[in-house]
Amino acid sequence: MLIPFRNEEHHLHSLVAALKAQTQQPFGIILVNDHSSDGSVPLANSLLTQLTNARLLQNTGVGKKAAILTGISEVTTEYVLLSDADCIFTPNWTATVLSYLAHYRPKLLIAPVTTLEEGSIGGRLQELDFLSLIGMTFGAGRSPVLCNGANLAVETAVYDRLKPYENNMNIPSGDDIFLLQAVRQQFPEDIAYCLETDATVYTKVKSDWSGFLEQRMRWGGKAIHYSDYQAICLAVLVFLVNAALFLSLLLTCFGYLDVLSMLVLVALKISVDTVLLIKAASFFRKNYLLPLLLPASVLYIVYVPVVAVAGIIMNLINARK
């Protein structure tokens, strides 16, 4: 198991507790410190003594991708489980994922990620947003175009063979998507899903809106660096649909489009979203989010185009540094 981290002092206690609670212990646990500036390193050194066959490495480069490669170079098992330091696992997480790997023998295994329940309206809107992304991940059938780096298992040799980060190390995110695209291009039939409750990884929503928007801009902006045709088509489709609705809203406000036509367009969009989200909400037991679907869909008309454009600009700036 490989977990990169940076400045996760407040999450390491719960991470180690979740790892200790596994009914089947991983064959080895590697944490890679990506230049933390808080108390993460001494705390990790202290906590890892509670685990069997666990060790802490220092990132030999900069950034999460470099941290993953640092850890991969020390992995001796056929497969490596990937997650993040701010995650919580079900007690049977390792056992379930390892069982799937033994049975299906994929190059890449995609497993579910969801958010811990939040009581505030802002927190629940973030939950719903995350749920939509996971719904798209598992709604793609045998041709996944999305995944989440908080819950992946990959054949260790894939990194040496495919070099998924060779042309994108300067992009601050996308370790999961670029890995998926590299595997899809060479081994499209060797990607599997593990859609089991016991294989679910839980993460927290962002504590403030600025952190949430910065994260979504980072995620959305990396789409300009995609090389996979289906991933590009999905990103363009999502953007164009929401941009068209945004334009329709502006035309309605200025009297160029009647309100009824605008409402019909919004209703069509919501009906498609509802089918996807009801399925995802049922699996993750998050039906309490469904009443927020209508207001969230209206917010998305503005949110998606603005965040996508801002994310593209942010990624272009970072890529030039």
Side-chain angles (χ1 to χ4, degrees):
M1 179 185 297
L2 172 58
I3 301 177
F5 70 92
R6 175 185 289 179
N7 296 336
E8 295 287 358
E9 182 179 5
H10 299 297
H11 293 123
L12 289 176
H13 279 285
S14 56
L15 172 69
V16 172
L19 291 173
K20 284 177 62 180
Q22 294 299 298
T23 55
Q24 181 174 342
Q25 289 295 310
F27 297 112
I29 300 171
I30 297 175
L31 268 64
V32 184
N33 170 45
D34 181 26
H35 307 280
S36 294
S37 57
D38 63 358
S40 294
V41 172
L43 180 59
N45 276 318
S46 172
L47 292 174
L48 288 184
T49 60
Q50 304 175 31
L51 299 171
T52 304
N53 198 19
R55 54 183 172 147
L56 175 65
L57 302 179
Q58 303 301 318
N59 190 1
T60 57
V62 178
K64 187 178 179 182
K65 296 188 187 80
I68 290 174
L69 295 178
T70 297
I72 288 291
S73 67
E74 299 292 323
V75 173
T76 57
T77 52
E78 181 181 5
Y79 287 97
V80 58
L81 279 61
L82 299 172
S83 191
D84 294 327
D86 60 349
C87 290
I88 300 295
F89 319 112
T90 64
N92 291 320
W93 174 62
T94 304
T96 305
V97 173
L98 291 179
S99 174
Y100 262 69
L101 292 173
H103 185 268
Y104 293 102
R105 310 292 299 170
K107 299 295 182 187
L108 177 66
L109 183 68
I110 301 172
V113 181
T114 190
T115 49
L116 295 168
E117 183 175 345
E118 284 289 331
S120 67
I121 294 296
R124 293 200 168 187
L125 285 172
Q126 289 189 51
E127 283 189 78
L128 188 62
D129 180 72
F130 198 94
L131 190 67
S132 68
L133 295 174
I134 297 302
M136 285 192 289
T137 298
F138 288 93
R142 294 181 59 83
S143 298
V145 294
L146 295 175
C147 63
N148 192 302
N151 200 3
L152 295 176
V154 60
E155 188 181 85
T156 308
V158 158
Y159 284 91
D160 283 334
R161 192 180 311 171
L162 302 183
K163 302 187 185 315
Y165 307 144
E166 190 172 45
N167 299 316
N168 53 71
M169 284 295 289
N170 61 327
I171 302 169
S173 68
D175 54 282
D176 43 13
I177 300 299
F178 293 123
L179 171 62
L180 171 61
Q181 291 186 5
V183 177
R184 269 175 52 88
Q185 289 170 5
Q186 295 295 320
F187 306 102
E189 301 299 320
D190 291 326
I191 302 173
Y193 290 119
C194 181
L195 195 54
E196 296 285 344
T197 302
D198 278 343
T200 302
V201 163
Y202 296 84
T203 187
K204 294 181 180 180
V205 300
K206 293 297 180 180
S207 58
D208 55 68
W209 284 108
S210 62
F212 167 76
L213 291 173
E214 189 275 334
Q215 181 190 61
R216 293 311 194 263
M217 286 190 292
R218 194 172 67 247
W219 288 358
K222 68 191 174 191
I224 61 174
H225 304 287
Y226 288 172
S227 59
D228 182 84
Y229 174 75
Q230 286 185 307
I232 294 171
C233 287
L234 177 63
V236 170
L237 178 63
V238 170
F239 175 78
L240 288 179
V241 167
N242 286 279
L245 287 173
F246 183 50
L247 178 60
S248 299
L249 177 62
L250 292 178
L251 291 175
T252 301
C253 291
F254 288 102
Y256 293 103
L257 184 69
D258 62 274
V259 175
L260 180 59
S261 298
M262 174 62 189
L263 291 177
V264 169
L265 292 173
V266 173
L268 288 172
K269 169 70 164 51
I270 291 175
S271 64
V272 174
D273 291 345
T274 299
V275 173
L276 182 70
L277 286 169
I278 285 178
K279 212 170 189 180
S282 176
F283 176 81
F284 289 111
R285 297 182 177 88
K286 288 183 175 287
N287 291 320
Y288 58 86
L289 295 176
L290 295 179
L292 292 174
L293 183 56
L294 178 59
S297 296
V298 175
L299 287 173
Y300 262 51
I301 296 173
V302 177
Y303 159 75
V304 172
V306 170
V307 168
V309 172
I312 289 172
I313 294 172
M314 184 178 75
N315 270 267
L316 288 173
I317 293 172
N318 287 331
R320 291 175 179 271
K321 291 181 179 179

